[in-house]
Amino acid sequence: MAPTALADVADDHTLGQHLESISDAIDDVNSIKYDTKSKFDAAKDKATFRQYEDACDRVRNFYREQHAKQTVAYNLAARARFYSASRTRPRMTIWQAMEKLDTLVDESDPDTSLSQIEHLLQSAEAIRRDGKPRWMQVTGLIHDLGKLMLFDPALGTQGQWDVVGDTFPVGLAFDRRIIYPDTFAANPDTRDPVYASPLGIYHAGCGLDNVMLSWGHDEYLYHVVKDQSTLPDEALAMIRYHSFYPWHREGAYRELMADKDHAMLQAVQAFNPYDLYSKSDDVPRVEDLKPYYMGLIDKFFPQGELAW
Ligand SMILES: O[C@H]1[C@H](O)[C@@H](O)[C@H](O)[C@@H](O)[C@H]1O
Ligand SMILES: [Fe+2]
Ligand SMILES: [Fe+2]
């Protein structure tokens, strides 16, 4: 009897593996062609979130400082620190990073009272509920982990102004469609003849890959995960451009786009409602959701620990 029972177990196991690889294959097909619609009521939600005109002083002061200090010179220096060969990069798994980030209170965010880990799980859960591919769910789960840069002294982060908040390109005139556009008057780049010109240091169609976006959590996380995960380009664009509201929501800076960026814009726009509007959902139960997301993390970050 025993050998038969053992064989049954072995067969069950193989069957389980087959089913898993079939569902992986379906997911891979979905990753190429995925539905960019979401269940949110965009018109209603637009009136509820991101009301910067009514925002508190904390948010206003945050942007006043950010817009004065994000210069080309600062951006070059921040990137040099990130890439510096002498920097010892902290090593952490994705889940450890999520737990570490949880202590941060984002000064730029007018909309959420939840902790960071809850926001990440809320975004991921909303994507999962809508039947989107697993690579997009895991993107929701990690998209704000770049805020961890605040905790690495070697990155020389100056405060929150170079970590959170909406992003915009530097090296060309600041567009009026960025929130609080008048606060750029305090930025020295507005008095530089090249940086203050319509295309600045760029040329039309140069592609967003060649544009320097203000330094912060999007850019940092993009550089961390691009070579340390199996995520598709769409996921990397969702991470890199998720705070670039003047582009993905307001239609600014389109003249800088190259062909590839049109598909990336669609991806970022498909992602945005899950970042923003899931902020009104119920508080997720971290321990209940952990096993499912640990499975996704293993799939897309097979080496476990990442260098941050
Ligand atoms: O306040 C928020 C917050 O910091 C987000 O993480 C970021 O992606 C947004 O664009 C920003 O405006
Ligand atoms: Fe973010
Ligand atoms: Fe977010």
Side-chain angles (χ1 to χ4, degrees):
M1 287 312 280
T4 327
L6 265 181
D8 282 346
V9 171
D11 276 346
D12 267 4
H13 184 68
T14 340
L15 182 65
Q17 277 178 341
H18 277 311
L19 287 177
E20 206 176 295
S21 59
I22 291 169
S23 93
D24 274 9
I26 293 172
D27 200 56
D28 290 341
V29 172
N30 279 342
S31 12
I32 300 158
K33 245 183 142 326
Y34 67 102
D35 179 7
T36 54
K37 285 193 227 50
S38 73
K39 68 176 168 58
F40 296 97
D41 174 351
K44 180 181 135 267
D45 290 326
K46 259 192 179 157
T48 315
F49 295 95
R50 294 178 58 83
Q51 297 304 306
Y52 288 98
E53 285 320 308
D54 308 326
C56 57
D57 286 350
R58 162 184 65 100
V59 174
R60 284 177 181 275
N61 293 337
F62 167 86
Y63 278 106
R64 190 172 308 124
E65 183 176 23
Q66 184 192 58
H67 290 176
K69 294 184 175 172
Q70 285 277 1
T71 59
V72 170
Y74 182 75
N75 272 270
L76 292 172
R79 283 161 175 79
R81 286 194 295 267
F82 174 77
Y83 284 115
S84 163
S86 61
R87 181 169 77 93
T88 312
R89 297 175 64 162
R91 298 192 65 86
M92 251 176 294
T93 65
I94 292 287
W95 197 269
Q96 286 168 337
M98 289 170 60
E99 287 179 335
K100 184 156 190 193
L101 185 66
D102 212 34
T103 54
L104 179 110
V105 178
D106 185 330
E107 286 169 4
S108 71
D109 193 345
D111 295 320
T112 191
S113 50
L114 293 185
S115 74
Q116 296 290 320
I117 204 168
E118 288 164 344
H119 168 58
L120 291 174
L121 282 165
Q122 247 179 358
S123 308
E125 281 289 279
I127 295 169
R128 180 183 177 196
R129 266 200 306 276
D130 256 7
K132 301 289 186 244
R134 284 178 291 178
W135 62 261
M136 190 167 166
Q137 298 170 26
V138 87
T139 303
L141 185 74
I142 67 168
H143 74 278
D144 275 338
L145 286 183
K147 294 177 186 175
L148 268 183
M149 61 200 294
L150 258 178
F151 303 132
D152 179 2
L155 288 171
T157 301
Q158 314 269 303
Q160 292 210 5
W161 66 267
D162 55 349
V163 176
V164 297
D166 284 7
T167 58
F168 45 85
V170 296
L172 80 171
F174 300 112
D175 193 280
R176 298 282 314 165
R177 285 164 283 188
I178 304 168
I179 45 175
Y180 306 126
D182 295 327
T183 55
F184 284 106
N187 187 308
D189 286 1
T190 58
R191 291 180 290 282
D192 181 288
V194 177
Y195 302 159
S197 64
L199 282 174
I201 57 176
Y202 309 106
H203 59 84
C206 65
L208 291 186
D209 281 347
N210 298 309
V211 169
M212 194 155 61
L213 279 185
S214 50
W215 180 245
H217 70 289
D218 299 31
E219 194 65 5
Y220 168 66
L221 184 66
Y222 165 76
H223 285 288
V224 169
V225 299
K226 74 175 171 17
D227 307 317
Q228 302 189 80
S229 74
T230 58
L231 290 170
D233 281 356
E234 283 78 1
L236 298 177
M238 290 169 184
I239 291 169
R240 192 176 202 179
Y241 304 124
H242 76 268
S243 307
F244 192 9
Y245 281 83
W247 174 64
H248 68 67
R249 170 171 293 197
E250 305 302 333
Y253 300 110
R254 298 288 158 92
E255 65 281 9
L256 299 175
M257 290 167 73
D259 278 353
K260 167 195 173 201
D261 295 325
H262 292 276
M264 298 303 118
L265 175 59
Q266 268 212 324
V268 177
Q269 288 175 333
F271 175 76
N272 179 252
Y274 301 104
D275 185 10
L276 196 52
Y277 306 142
S278 66
K279 288 177 182 175
S280 58
D281 293 353
D282 293 338
V283 180
R285 296 162 61 98
V286 180
E287 285 312 311
D288 292 357
L289 296 172
K290 186 173 175 181
Y292 175 75
Y293 286 105
M294 288 300 269
L296 290 196
I297 293 169
D298 284 349
K299 177 173 159 64
F300 292 99
F301 298 90
Q303 82 284 33
E305 270 187 354
L306 276 69
W308 291 80

